[in-house]
Amino acid sequence: MPIPSRAALVDHLARTRIAGDVATPRDNNLSHYRKLANGDRHYWLGLELGDRWTDEQDVLAVMAERCGVSDDPGHRMGQDTIDPELTVDALERMAARLRKAAAGKERVLFATGHPGGLLDVHRQTADALRRAGCEIVRIPGGLMADEGMVFQFADVAMLERGATLWHTHSPEPMTAILDGMEREGRPLPDLVVADHGWAGCAGQRGLDSIGYADCNDPALFIGEAEGTLQVTVPLDDHVTDPRYYDPMTAYLLDAAGLAEGA
């Protein structure tokens, strides 16, 4: 995969609708912001937000700043956006944290609640960190959460139910992993690279956590704003072809000094 320039990546993100005019409609975004503000813990993604985000407009302001959705509270229906420039800015912040992990030969755990979209992004990143000398954390065996099995495939932890990789926002699978590691007396990861409740739970447990989030998942952006997460990259986390993420991953690994042959 050739390494795109920043301008080429911005164009690619918009053309593939990873960013730009994304598929997630405005009314869905606002509904999720409202539910987070109303205290629905499903939308907290493993974070403990207390009573700090009870105003839907405060949530919208964070999402406009960090994700690039429209900041107009009167815009209730139709198209919403992710600013591809903000996506690349966040990728560069993520790259800096990955570079630190490589330099320190850190223990890194990968997990995804979006295996249909982001599995290979995480797998390629894990491969690159292993080449750099990092330990890619192997999770304990026999873990259960949310009526499914928590297991690892291609170095990435996921939830499996009925022989199907499961799309989940829940923090419970990450809780099972971290609790399992503690029971075995194993050191917890130095870094977690994830999304959804997997990333939120890790950050809430005090681990360095970086990851990806869609414009209808405001909790991780709030987590970054509050310092609970180190980086949240805004993107559509399930576009029509997972290969569309390849140029983004190539840019990320190159910026981190982790591209093959670097």
Side-chain angles (χ1 to χ4, degrees):
M1 170 61 62
I3 310 301
S5 66
R6 180 183 174 109
L9 180 59
V10 166
D11 178 69
H12 170 80
L13 295 172
R15 283 188 294 104
T16 57
R17 300 184 74 184
I18 293 172
D21 292 337
V22 293
T24 310
R26 176 68 168 188
D27 58 304
N28 182 264
N29 284 344
L30 294 181
S31 172
H32 287 200
Y33 304 169
R34 185 178 313 113
K35 289 173 180 176
L36 179 147
N38 287 341
D40 187 332
R41 298 181 72 86
H42 174 78
Y43 297 92
W44 288 14
L45 302 183
L47 295 170
E48 294 296 332
L49 303 180
D51 59 359
R52 301 185 298 280
W53 297 93
T54 57
D55 188 333
E56 177 186 347
Q57 300 309 313
D58 290 341
V59 179
L60 176 60
V62 169
M63 295 304 292
E65 176 188 10
R66 292 181 176 268
C67 187
V69 303
S70 170
D71 63 357
D72 178 7
H75 176 39
R76 311 297 299 178
M77 303 290 292
Q79 183 68 57
D80 213 341
T81 58
I82 293 174
D83 184 342
E85 296 284 355
L86 292 179
T87 303
V88 180
D89 287 346
L91 287 169
E92 291 173 352
R93 295 196 302 276
M94 179 178 279
R97 184 60 186 87
L98 295 175
R99 185 183 291 271
K100 177 183 176 184
K105 305 293 190 289
E106 292 182 348
R107 298 181 305 277
V108 187
L109 172 63
F110 288 84
T112 187
H114 239 302
L118 298 178
L119 171 57
D120 208 43
V121 176
H122 291 304
R123 180 199 63 80
Q124 291 183 59
T125 309
D127 285 349
L129 285 176
R130 178 180 282 111
R131 290 194 304 268
C134 288
E135 175 190 342
I136 306 305
V137 172
R138 292 180 63 86
I139 70 171
L143 298 178
M144 304 291 292
D146 296 330
E147 301 179 343
M149 296 180 61
V150 185
F151 79 110
Q152 207 162 18
F153 174 72
D155 288 326
V156 185
M158 289 167 283
L159 183 68
E160 185 264 351
R161 290 186 192 165
T164 300
L165 303 181
W166 207 254
H167 171 215
T168 177
H169 290 71
S170 172
E172 294 307 316
M174 180 60 78
T175 298
I177 292 172
L178 299 179
D179 288 350
M181 293 182 71
E182 289 180 335
R183 282 195 304 272
E184 293 180 356
R186 294 169 54 190
L188 295 181
D190 300 306
L191 176 65
V192 173
V193 185
D195 47 69
H196 285 179
W198 307 77
C201 173
Q204 189 63 46
R205 293 277 287 257
L207 303 176
D208 281 8
S209 181
I210 61 179
Y212 304 91
D214 209 330
C215 55
N216 64 353
D217 291 328
L220 297 190
F221 296 98
I222 287 173
E224 184 181 12
E226 292 193 326
T228 312
L229 272 76
Q230 294 198 327
V231 182
T232 301
V233 177
L235 48 66
D236 186 320
D237 51 18
H238 198 141
V239 292
T240 56
D241 185 345
R243 293 273 69 86
Y244 288 162
Y245 296 108
D246 285 350
M248 180 193 82
T249 309
Y251 184 92
L252 169 69
L253 297 181
D254 182 67
L258 295 171
E260 280 197 271

